[in-house]
């Protein structure tokens, strides 16, 4: 295979570390030129990664950590930058393939910039599509690169939805593990700690998405992500709880057929697929042993206990900037929960209140409208949190 140049936005996170593992498995420096790596607070890891792969540029999103990164990489020949401009510099570097693995809305601007200049985008950062939906898809189209989902559910759908059968797509069935509180009552969920909420039964992930799995806000974001990625209607998007996380998602066709993609819960399969698409490359990940697994379970999601799913439907039906508002309010509520300022179930209350308050904002005509709505939703959510 020809050499490929890559950039990883968010290399120090859970997805970023797995991406570097996959790159290592598939030949490392023999086969890949790493252009830029970006991180935030973990300077030691960022510097270590940059040296290991011979990155041309290392960026910390935190301007206050610039000096520390510079000192750590002194003499290495690796360029150093920081903050918003540093992230823009990383996105602008001439990499064929960009892994978008920054968490939250912070990932939108650099990912959009990489898309605009025509890079293939491996999209882990679902917030890009939830917030900016059609504008983001249009930016990728204009740039001319591919948009390859990395989120396990969307990778599964991408792998089972062939272009020539798109006309026969009937429904998209997103699987959800149900998280650590799948069988809990609302009373039991009322006073849970961050430590209990972050303990995902199957996947090892960053803090934000782990809490989002417990509240099912992660699935809510994924419903909207699927809508934009696969040009689906809200009615075509279903969620089914599947506690084993073996079936990563399914596509139902108009002839009654359902195709599924299965694997062990390990993000490296989806990352590897995105890296070498349309080819597949051998990966050292665990294999499924069906006899050992024995059974696969499925159950209907409970929108009473997990209102996030209902809010995603509301956002899809209202359209416009409601996805952006839901996401920004949820990030704000998540931070408040992690800091102990609100309780677990109050996150959904805050999000719903912000969505209702801002339901008359007109659809985005430009990306600036998205950023403005994001700021407004955070301000509104913070106001509700302060008023509790
Ligand atoms: P993480 O918290 O482990 O890592 C986040 C990365 O973003 C780190 O490199 C961090 O330095 C960087 N970052 C944090 N704040 C930043 C900021 N303000 N500006 C710039 N960079 C910043 O998160 P993760 O679990 O790897 O998730 C990354 C993205 O991938 C999220 O959008 C998540 O929803 C999505 N995703 C993750 C998984 C998973 O298994 N972890 C699965 C599917 C989708
Ligand atoms: Mg997912």
């Amino acid at each position: 295979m020809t050499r490929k140049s890559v950039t990883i936005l968010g290399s120090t996170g859970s997805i970023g570390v797995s991406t570097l593992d996959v790159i290592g498995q598939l030949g490392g420096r023999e086969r890949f030129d790493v252009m830029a790596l970006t991180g935030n607070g973990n300077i030691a890891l960022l510097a270590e990664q940059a040296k290991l792969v011979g990155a041309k540029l290392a960026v910390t999103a935190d301007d206050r950590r610039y000096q520390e990164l510079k000192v750590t990489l002194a003499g290495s020949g690796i360029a150093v930058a920081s903050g918003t401009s540093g992230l823009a510099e990383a996105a602008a570097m001439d990499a064929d393939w960009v892994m978008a693995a920054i968490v939250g809305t912070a990932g939108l601007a650099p990912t959009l910039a990489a898309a605009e200049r025509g890079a293939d985008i491996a999209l882990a950062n679902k917030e890009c599509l939830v917030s900016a939906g059609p504008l983001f898809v249009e930016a990728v189209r204009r740039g001319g690169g591919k948009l390859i989902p990395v989120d396990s559910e969307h990778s599964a759908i991408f792998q089972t939805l062939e272009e020539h059968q798109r006309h026969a797509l009937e429904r998209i069935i997103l699987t959800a593990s149900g998280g650590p509180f799948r069988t809990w009552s609302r009373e039991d969920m009322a006073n849970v700690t961050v430590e209990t909420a972050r303990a995902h039964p199957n996947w090892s992930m960053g803090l934000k998405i782990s809490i989002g799995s417990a509240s099912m806000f992660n699935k809510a974001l994924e419903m909207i992500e699927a809508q934009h990625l696969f040009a689906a209607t809200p009615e075509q998007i279903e969620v089914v709880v599947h506690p084993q996380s073996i079936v990563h998602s399914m596509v139902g066709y108009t002839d009654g057929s359902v195709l599924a993609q299965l694997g062990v819960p390990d993000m490296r399969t989806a990352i590897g697929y995105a890296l070498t698409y349309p080819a597949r490359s051998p990966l050292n990940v665990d294999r499924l042993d069906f006899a050992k697994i024995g059974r696969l379970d499925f159950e209907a999601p409970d929108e009473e206990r997990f209102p996030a799913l209902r809010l995603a439907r509301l956002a899809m039906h209202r359209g416009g900037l409601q996805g952006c508002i839901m996401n920004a309010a949820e990030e704000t509520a998540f931070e408040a929960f992690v800091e102990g300022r609100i309780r677990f179930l109050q996150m959904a209350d805050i999000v719903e209140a912000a969505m209702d308050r801002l339901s008359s904002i007109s659809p985005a005509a430009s990306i600036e409208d998205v950023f403005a709505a994001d700021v407004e939703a955070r301000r509104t959510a913070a106001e509700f949190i302060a008023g509790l």
Side-chain angles (χ1 to χ4, degrees), residues 7 12 36 38 59 63 68 74 120 127 130 148 150 155 158 178 188 243 259 297 313 346 367 370:
T7 278
T12 55
T38 84
V59 177
D63 279 320
E68 187 185 343
D120 288 342
E127 295 86 351
V130 176
I148 316 159
V150 170
S155 174
F158 189 71
D188 289 339
L259 297 193
D297 296 300
R313 295 222 174 272
Q346 288 178 317
I367 201 70
V370 175

Side-chain angles (χ1 to χ4, degrees), residues 126 151-153 209 218-219 222:
K126 56 197 84 183
D151 212 346
S152 58
E153 296 77 2
I209 184 169
N218 180 51
K219 207 52 54 183
E222 291 181 354

Side-chain angles (χ1 to χ4, degrees), residues 219-237:
K219 207 52 54 183
L221 298 179
E222 291 181 354
M223 291 163 75
I224 302 175
E225 179 185 15
Q227 183 193 14
H228 294 305
L229 260 177
F230 304 111
T233 63
E235 294 72 27
Q236 285 178 309
I237 297 168

